[in-house]
Amino acid sequence: MRSLCVLGSTGSIGVSTLDVVSRHRDKFRVIALTANNNVDRLFEQCVAHQPRYAVVIDSDQASVLRACLREAGLTAVEVLSGADALEQVASLPQVDTVMAAIVGAAGLLPTLAAARLGKRVLLANKEALVMSGPLFMAEVRRSGAELLPIDSEHNAIFQCMPADCRAGERAHSVRKILLTASGGPLLNVPLESLRHVTPAQAIAHPNWVMGRKISVDSATMMNKGLEVIEACLLFGLEPHDVKVVVHPQSVIHSMVDYVDGSVLAQLGNPDMRTPIAHALAWPERFESGVEPLDMFQVKRLDFQPPDLDRFPCLGLAYDAVREGGTMPAVLNAANEMAVASFLDGGIGFDAISDTIRHCMEFLPAVPADSIEGVLEADRRSREAASSYIASLPSRN
Ligand code: NAD
Ligand code: MG
């Protein structure tokens, strides 16, 4: 039986994780669940899974949760609050598996804590890896943690890689990775109308239902950019070894191109419960609740190269990984700030890439030799993004 901590249990990945866990109650014990502030959903999850700990960031919200649990007679659940409590539950000795499903930089320290302690880390929180890159992978290698990718593309690549390949080390029989991308909701809208795209249009993904931030990242293709960086780190590849292929149907989740000319792909319906179940059951497999893929319904699979004029964020991510050091952390933080401002109606869609470009020019890369250095780059990039956004003409 595995003992699980789900960081970000109330989000899209968190909910799908608990759905899979519910199908295999005999195989998992839920030790800790965490949320930012969605106390209602966290309460429901506590009722369903009876964890030992529940974490919310805000202490007032924690009091609300405590009162609800007391009223429901669930006195065995201990409620903790604050960002430190995330690290605390991810580090518990009785937890052997941590699902890292917090969105953004907020997930870095608890995810890293689990990796340092050699736990099985199911990595959805790509921003944590992008920010801390080689430092994170060094901790994984040192501690012997099992790092299993949840991002559908990286999970697909993992499934297609040679069985003996090690985290962060290049498999010599692999020529390159073909990282598939749906192209998001804006693949075919006229280029000149991109600046008028609204948050509602940007988050209306054609194939996947996801949290708001990653949905905007999919519309700008920054999501694919972050995934290029993630792939380089997880599989020990150079940026030019990772080729983005736009595949609008989202049926092939990525491919591995071998030196002998073989190309292995993983296919499935676009439902995150497949990669989640794969990682939860690994190295076995079990049922995920996902419908079987019907090839006669799919009928055709299309592929095209990405258009970097339409999706400048993808080019910026390649620049960041080539520059290395703190640049991926600068890119990620600027993107988080720009996306949050876009979702709040503060900046237009096209200002997202402008903000990131500005921060990357303003804050040259320095070697990322400590987590403190990475966090400092993140902080400075947020400041630079905030000043840049404030300098833009008002949209009202
Ligand atoms: P979401 O917004 O639906 O959920 C995010 C979770 O993180 C919630 O539980 C929220 O309470 C928590 N959270 C947010 N801010 C926090 C903070 N400051 N401190 C503590 N907790 C906080 O996001 P999601 O779509 O589930 O994505 C989660 C991660 O998984 C992201 O890194 C995303 O890129 C990655 N991912 C998601 C999908 C998907 O299909 N949703 C696919 C691949 C990768
Ligand atoms: Mg993905």
Coordinates of all heavy atoms in Angstrom, one line a residue, residues 141-186:
R141 N 18.9 12.8 -8.3 CA 20.0 11.8 -8.4 C 20.7 11.4 -7.1 O 20.9 10.3 -6.8 CB 21.0 12.2 -9.5 CG 20.5 12.0 -10.9 CD 21.7 12.2 -11.9 NE 22.1 13.6 -11.9 CZ 21.6 14.5 -12.7 NH1 20.7 14.3 -13.5 NH2 22.1 15.8 -12.6
R142 N 20.9 12.5 -6.3 CA 21.6 12.3 -5.0 C 20.7 11.4 -4.1 O 21.2 10.5 -3.4 CB 21.9 13.6 -4.4 CG 22.7 13.5 -3.1 CD 22.7 14.8 -2.3 NE 21.3 15.3 -2.0 CZ 20.5 14.7 -1.1 NH1 20.9 13.7 -0.4 NH2 19.3 15.2 -1.0
S143 N 19.4 11.7 -4.0 CA 18.6 11.0 -3.0 C 18.0 9.7 -3.6 O 17.5 8.9 -2.8 CB 17.4 11.9 -2.7 OG 16.5 12.0 -3.8
G144 N 18.1 9.5 -4.9 CA 17.5 8.3 -5.5 C 15.9 8.4 -5.5 O 15.3 7.4 -5.7
A145 N 15.4 9.6 -5.5 CA 13.9 9.8 -5.7 C 13.5 9.2 -7.0 O 14.2 9.3 -8.0 CB 13.6 11.3 -5.6
E146 N 12.2 8.7 -7.0 CA 11.7 8.3 -8.3 C 10.8 9.5 -8.9 O 9.8 9.8 -8.3 CB 10.8 7.1 -8.1 CG 11.5 5.8 -7.8 CD 10.6 4.7 -7.4 OE1 9.5 5.0 -6.8 OE2 10.9 3.6 -7.6
L147 N 11.3 10.1 -9.9 CA 10.6 11.2 -10.5 C 9.8 10.7 -11.7 O 10.4 10.4 -12.7 CB 11.7 12.3 -10.9 CG 11.1 13.6 -11.4 CD1 10.3 14.3 -10.4 CD2 12.3 14.5 -11.8
L148 N 8.5 10.8 -11.6 CA 7.6 10.2 -12.6 C 6.8 11.4 -13.2 O 6.1 12.1 -12.5 CB 6.7 9.2 -12.1 CG 7.4 8.0 -11.4 CD1 6.4 7.0 -10.9 CD2 8.3 7.2 -12.5
P149 N 7.0 11.7 -14.5 CA 6.3 12.8 -15.1 C 4.8 12.6 -15.3 O 4.4 11.5 -15.7 CB 7.0 13.0 -16.4 CG 7.8 11.8 -16.7 CD 7.8 11.0 -15.5
I150 N 4.0 13.6 -14.9 CA 2.5 13.6 -15.1 C 2.1 14.4 -16.3 O 1.1 14.0 -16.9 CB 1.9 14.2 -13.8 CG1 2.1 13.3 -12.6 CG2 0.4 14.4 -14.0 CD1 1.6 11.9 -12.7
D151 N 2.8 15.4 -16.7 CA 2.5 16.1 -17.9 C 2.3 15.1 -19.0 O 3.2 14.2 -19.1 CB 3.7 17.0 -18.2 CG 3.3 18.4 -18.7 OD1 2.2 18.5 -19.2 OD2 4.1 19.4 -18.6
S152 N 1.3 15.2 -19.7 CA 0.9 14.0 -20.6 C 2.0 13.8 -21.6 O 2.3 12.6 -21.9 CB -0.4 14.3 -21.3 OG -0.3 15.6 -22.0
E153 N 2.7 14.8 -22.1 CA 3.7 14.6 -23.1 C 4.9 13.9 -22.5 O 5.5 13.0 -23.1 CB 4.2 16.0 -23.6 CG 3.2 16.8 -24.4 CD 2.2 17.5 -23.5 OE1 2.3 17.4 -22.2 OE2 1.2 18.1 -24.0
H154 N 5.3 14.3 -21.3 CA 6.5 13.8 -20.7 C 6.2 12.4 -20.2 O 7.1 11.5 -20.2 CB 7.0 14.7 -19.6 CG 7.3 16.1 -20.1 ND1 6.2 16.9 -20.4 CD2 8.4 16.7 -20.5 CE1 6.7 18.0 -20.9 NE2 8.0 17.9 -21.0
N155 N 5.0 12.1 -19.7 CA 4.6 10.8 -19.4 C 4.6 9.9 -20.6 O 5.1 8.8 -20.5 CB 3.2 10.8 -18.7 CG 2.8 9.5 -18.2 OD1 2.2 8.7 -19.0 ND2 3.2 9.1 -17.0
A156 N 4.2 10.4 -21.7 CA 4.2 9.6 -23.0 C 5.7 9.3 -23.3 O 6.0 8.2 -23.7 CB 3.6 10.4 -24.1
I157 N 6.6 10.3 -23.2 CA 8.0 10.1 -23.6 C 8.6 9.1 -22.6 O 9.3 8.1 -23.1 CB 8.8 11.4 -23.5 CG1 8.3 12.4 -24.5 CG2 10.3 11.2 -23.7 CD1 8.7 13.9 -24.3
F158 N 8.3 9.2 -21.4 CA 8.8 8.3 -20.3 C 8.4 6.8 -20.7 O 9.1 5.9 -20.6 CB 8.2 8.7 -19.0 CG 8.7 7.8 -17.8 CD1 9.9 8.1 -17.2 CD2 7.9 6.8 -17.3 CE1 10.3 7.3 -16.1 CE2 8.3 6.0 -16.3 CZ 9.5 6.3 -15.7
Q159 N 7.1 6.7 -21.2 CA 6.6 5.4 -21.5 C 7.3 4.8 -22.8 O 7.4 3.6 -23.0 CB 5.1 5.4 -21.8 CG 4.3 5.7 -20.5 CD 2.8 5.4 -20.7 OE1 2.4 4.3 -21.3 NE2 1.9 6.3 -20.3
C160 N 7.8 5.7 -23.7 CA 8.4 5.3 -24.9 C 9.9 5.2 -24.8 O 10.6 4.8 -25.8 CB 8.1 6.3 -26.0 SG 6.3 6.3 -26.4
M161 N 10.5 5.6 -23.7 CA 12.0 5.6 -23.5 C 12.4 4.1 -23.2 O 11.7 3.3 -22.7 CB 12.3 6.5 -22.3 CG 12.5 7.9 -22.7 SD 14.0 8.2 -23.6 CE 13.9 9.9 -24.0
P162 N 13.7 3.9 -23.5 CA 14.3 2.5 -23.1 C 14.1 2.3 -21.6 O 14.2 3.3 -20.8 CB 15.7 2.6 -23.4 CG 16.0 3.9 -24.2 CD 14.8 4.7 -24.1
A163 N 13.8 1.1 -21.2 CA 13.4 0.8 -19.8 C 14.5 1.2 -18.8 O 14.3 1.5 -17.7 CB 13.0 -0.7 -19.7
D164 N 15.8 1.1 -19.3 CA 16.9 1.3 -18.4 C 17.4 2.8 -18.3 O 18.4 3.1 -17.7 CB 18.1 0.4 -18.7 CG 18.6 0.7 -20.1 OD1 17.9 1.5 -20.8 OD2 19.6 0.1 -20.5
C165 N 16.6 3.7 -18.9 CA 17.1 5.1 -18.9 C 16.9 5.7 -17.6 O 16.0 5.5 -16.9 CB 16.5 6.0 -20.1 SG 14.9 6.6 -19.7
R166 N 17.9 6.6 -17.2 CA 17.9 7.1 -15.8 C 17.5 8.6 -15.9 O 17.8 9.3 -16.8 CB 19.3 7.0 -15.2 CG 19.6 5.5 -14.8 CD 21.1 5.3 -14.7 NE 21.7 6.2 -13.7 CZ 21.8 6.0 -12.4 NH1 21.3 4.8 -11.9 NH2 22.3 6.8 -11.6
A167 N 16.9 9.1 -14.8 CA 16.4 10.5 -14.7 C 17.5 11.5 -15.1 O 18.6 11.4 -14.5 CB 15.9 10.8 -13.3
G168 N 17.3 12.3 -16.0 CA 18.2 13.4 -16.4 C 19.4 12.9 -17.3 O 20.2 13.7 -17.6
E169 N 19.4 11.6 -17.6 CA 20.5 11.1 -18.4 C 20.0 10.8 -19.8 O 19.0 10.1 -20.0 CB 21.2 9.9 -17.8 CG 22.0 10.3 -16.6 CD 22.7 9.1 -15.9 OE1 22.8 8.1 -16.6 OE2 23.0 9.3 -14.7
R170 N 20.8 11.2 -20.8 CA 20.4 10.9 -22.2 C 20.6 9.5 -22.5 O 21.6 8.8 -22.2 CB 21.3 11.8 -23.1 CG 20.8 11.7 -24.5 CD 21.6 12.4 -25.5 NE 21.0 12.1 -26.8 CZ 20.6 13.1 -27.6 NH1 20.9 14.3 -27.4 NH2 20.0 12.8 -28.8
A171 N 19.5 8.9 -23.2 CA 19.6 7.5 -23.7 C 20.3 7.6 -25.1 O 19.8 8.4 -25.9 CB 18.2 6.9 -23.8
H172 N 21.4 6.9 -25.3 CA 22.2 7.1 -26.5 C 21.5 6.6 -27.8 O 21.8 7.0 -28.9 CB 23.6 6.4 -26.3 CG 24.4 7.2 -25.3 ND1 24.8 8.4 -25.5 CD2 24.7 6.8 -24.1 CE1 25.4 8.9 -24.4 NE2 25.4 7.9 -23.5
S173 N 20.5 5.7 -27.6 CA 19.8 5.2 -28.8 C 18.7 6.2 -29.2 O 18.1 6.0 -30.3 CB 19.1 3.9 -28.4 OG 18.3 4.0 -27.3
V174 N 18.5 7.3 -28.5 CA 17.5 8.3 -28.8 C 18.0 9.4 -29.7 O 19.1 10.0 -29.3 CB 16.8 8.9 -27.6 CG1 15.9 10.0 -27.9 CG2 16.0 7.8 -26.8
R175 N 17.4 9.7 -30.9 CA 17.9 10.7 -31.7 C 17.2 12.1 -31.3 O 17.9 13.0 -31.1 CB 17.5 10.4 -33.2 CG 18.0 11.5 -34.1 CD 18.2 10.9 -35.5 NE 17.1 10.1 -36.0 CZ 17.2 9.3 -37.0 NH1 18.3 9.1 -37.7 NH2 16.1 8.6 -37.3
K176 N 15.9 12.0 -31.2 CA 15.3 13.3 -30.7 C 13.9 12.9 -30.1 O 13.4 11.8 -30.2 CB 15.2 14.4 -31.7 CG 14.4 14.0 -33.0 CD 14.5 15.3 -33.9 CE 13.7 15.0 -35.2 NZ 14.4 14.1 -36.1
I177 N 13.3 14.0 -29.5 CA 11.9 13.9 -29.0 C 11.0 14.7 -29.9 O 11.4 15.8 -30.2 CB 11.9 14.5 -27.5 CG1 12.8 13.7 -26.6 CG2 10.5 14.7 -27.0 CD1 12.3 12.3 -26.4
L178 N 9.9 14.1 -30.1 CA 8.8 14.9 -30.9 C 7.8 15.2 -29.8 O 7.0 14.4 -29.4 CB 8.3 14.1 -32.0 CG 9.3 13.6 -33.0 CD1 8.8 12.7 -34.1 CD2 10.0 14.8 -33.7
L179 N 7.8 16.5 -29.4 CA 6.8 16.9 -28.3 C 5.6 17.5 -29.0 O 5.6 18.5 -29.7 CB 7.6 18.1 -27.6 CG 7.0 18.5 -26.2 CD1 7.2 17.4 -25.2 CD2 7.7 19.8 -25.8
T180 N 4.5 16.8 -28.8 CA 3.3 17.2 -29.5 C 2.6 18.4 -28.8 O 2.7 18.5 -27.5 CB 2.3 16.1 -29.7 OG1 2.0 15.4 -28.5 CG2 2.8 15.1 -30.8
A181 N 1.9 19.2 -29.5 CA 1.2 20.4 -29.0 C -0.1 20.5 -29.7 O -0.2 20.4 -31.0 CB 2.0 21.6 -29.3
S182 N -1.2 20.8 -29.0 CA -2.5 20.9 -29.7 C -2.6 22.2 -30.5 O -3.3 22.3 -31.5 CB -3.6 20.9 -28.7 OG -3.6 22.1 -28.0
G183 N -1.8 23.2 -30.1 CA -1.9 24.5 -30.7 C -2.9 25.4 -30.0 O -3.0 26.6 -30.2
G184 N -3.7 24.8 -29.1 CA -4.6 25.6 -28.2 C -5.7 26.2 -29.0 O -5.9 25.9 -30.2
P185 N -6.5 27.1 -28.3 CA -7.7 27.6 -29.0 C -7.4 28.7 -30.0 O -8.3 29.1 -30.7 CB -8.4 28.3 -27.8 CG -7.3 28.6 -26.8 CD -6.3 27.5 -27.0
L186 N -6.2 29.2 -30.1 CA -5.9 30.3 -31.0 C -5.1 29.9 -32.3 O -4.5 30.7 -33.0 CB -5.2 31.4 -30.3 CG -5.9 31.8 -29.0 CD1 -5.1 32.9 -28.2 CD2 -7.3 32.4 -29.3

